[in-house]
Amino acid sequence: MFSKACEYGIRAAVYIALQSLDGRRVSVTEIAEEIDSPVAFTAKILQQLTRNNIVHSVKGPTGGFEIEREDMDTVNLSMIVKAIDGDKIYVGCGLGLKECNASKPCPLHDKFVDIRNDLSTMLKSTSLYELATGLEVGLTYLKR
Amino acid sequence: MFSKACEYGIRAAVYIALQSLDGRRVSVTEIAEEIDSPVAFTAKILQQLTRNNIVHSVKGPTGGFEIEREDMDTVNLSMIVKAIDGDKIYVGCGLGLKECNASKPCPLHDKFVDIRNDLSTMLKSTSLYELATGLEVGLTYLKR
DNA sequence: CTAATAAAGGACATTTTTGTCCTATTTATA
DNA sequence: TATAAATAGGACAAAAATGTCCTTTATTAG
């Protein structure tokens, strides 16, 4: 469904949000440890998230990654997925045709569009804040 | 969503079904041409479909690939996807956790399960026959 | 029986994704 | 101001997915 990079990206963003709720800025090392991901690769992905204004980074000692409280409401999964995997998941044909639309559909077009709309709606309506608070309460996990 | 191999596999199976409705057995060369896919790679994928009894192959002159009329009703997309991509699409965690289930869910677990159930249901309930007849009537396309 | 045709399958090549390592830049603090 | 801590970013490495080529095997028809 999502690329590995995107999976790590979402997990990282959720972890950063969780810590930011406590006013803590976190380093790549800590993030990678807490979400069980390769450090250097995670650093790359965080660069993308930073460039896309999904998380905020601060260099130097006491630096690290954080997310403003307001941004946790604004930023949803759809934005993270788009920043890392692009929009192929929303746009492409399920069977890989270059041109596939309502007027010249592939055999799976209609059914695929339904599923994808559901996915898209779900991603758009799921905010970082929602995911972070689930974690905070101990209902969900980012490791194992 | 699906791998390239799986996309080609589905398109190939649908094309074979369509031709089998006319009693025609088709070669890899023809299939690749008609679904716009790389020949040799398509041949590999057809081997997998054959081993999984999704299509039937016949060697030698007048040989090629075909699907029995009854099998078109039995074989659904879920079986093709499983034969080529395995069951990761049904089983894996959306955020890539090794262990993720109702009792120790990732932050996306519940929402992801919903989408995936829809996808799974759709794939299971879509037969090759249904897809092939859509093509036959000229409602859908396998190229472009 | 022989020649030709088609799938099966193994080995290899290319491309993309995933992952690592090292250096540069920024910045807080002693 | 010097040092150390942190991200940024480029170059490289490994693994997986995609794709190609060639040989073997089965089968049909002359």
Side-chain angles (χ1 to χ4, degrees):
Chain A
M1 187 77 89
F2 307 127
S3 68
K4 275 284 159 202
C6 195
E7 290 175 359
Y8 296 148
I10 295 173
R11 275 150 63 191
V14 174
Y15 181 74
I16 296 168
L18 173 67
Q19 295 306 319
S20 289
L21 284 175
D22 286 349
R24 293 190 61 233
R25 209 177 264 166
V26 287
S27 71
V28 190
T29 318
E30 176 180 338
I31 294 169
E33 202 140 292
E34 292 300 321
I35 70 172
D36 194 26
S37 67
V39 187
F41 192 44
T42 305
K44 291 289 183 210
I45 297 160
L46 286 169
Q47 285 178 28
Q48 296 187 66
L49 293 184
T50 304
R51 279 194 291 266
N52 283 274
N53 296 308
I54 285 166
V55 304
H56 180 224
S57 76
V58 178
K59 282 182 170 183
T62 79
F65 295 89
E66 64 191 0
I67 301 178
E68 313 293 329
R69 176 64 189 80
E70 319 106 66
D71 290 345
M72 291 185 208
D73 293 319
T74 318
V75 173
N76 56 52
L77 287 183
S78 176
M79 297 165 70
I80 300 182
V81 172
K82 194 167 276 180
I84 300 176
D85 281 349
D87 57 4
K88 61 174 184 253
I89 193 175
Y90 306 107
V91 167
C93 163
L95 297 188
L97 302 193
K98 285 153 229 153
E99 212 185 293
C100 171
N101 47 57
S103 71
K104 251 205 158 200
C106 79
L108 210 57
H109 186 77
D110 291 348
K111 299 186 177 198
F112 198 74
V113 164
D114 287 346
I115 302 280
R116 211 164 49 181
N117 284 345
D118 289 348
L119 176 61
S120 176
T121 302
M122 183 274 270
L123 294 177
K124 277 204 186 75
S125 68
T126 304
S127 71
L128 265 187
Y129 181 73
E130 177 185 347
L131 297 180
T133 48
L135 255 191
E136 193 177 33
V137 179
L139 286 175
T140 60
Y141 303 82
L142 283 179
K143 277 213 285 196
R144 282 317 96 99
Chain B
M1 186 78 88
F2 307 127
S3 68
K4 275 284 160 203
C6 195
E7 290 175 359
Y8 296 148
I10 295 173
R11 275 149 64 192
V14 175
Y15 181 73
I16 296 168
L18 173 66
Q19 295 306 320
S20 289
L21 284 176
D22 286 350
R24 296 190 60 234
R25 210 177 261 166
V26 287
S27 71
V28 191
T29 318
E30 176 180 338
I31 295 169
E33 203 141 292
E34 292 300 322
I35 70 172
D36 194 27
S37 68
V39 187
F41 192 45
T42 305
K44 292 290 182 207
I45 298 160
L46 285 169
Q47 286 178 27
Q48 296 187 66
L49 294 183
T50 303
R51 279 195 289 265
N52 283 274
N53 296 308
I54 285 166
V55 304
H56 180 222
S57 77
V58 178
K59 282 184 173 182
T62 79
F65 295 89
E66 65 191 359
I67 301 178
E68 313 294 329
R69 176 63 189 79
E70 319 105 66
D71 290 346
M72 291 184 208
D73 293 319
T74 319
V75 173
N76 56 52
L77 286 183
S78 175
M79 296 163 71
I80 301 182
V81 172
K82 196 168 275 180
I84 300 176
D85 281 350
D87 58 3
K88 62 173 185 253
I89 194 177
Y90 306 107
V91 167
C93 163
L95 297 188
L97 303 193
K98 285 152 230 154
E99 211 185 295
C100 171
N101 46 57
S103 72
K104 251 204 159 202
C106 78
L108 210 56
H109 186 77
D110 291 348
K111 299 186 177 199
F112 199 74
V113 164
D114 286 345
I115 302 280
R116 212 164 49 181
N117 283 345
D118 290 347
L119 176 62
S120 176
T121 302
M122 183 274 270
L123 294 177
K124 277 205 187 74
S125 68
T126 304
S127 71
L128 265 189
Y129 181 74
E130 176 185 347
L131 297 179
T133 49
L135 255 191
E136 192 176 34
V137 179
L139 285 175
T140 60
Y141 302 82
L142 282 179
K143 278 213 284 196
R144 283 316 94 110

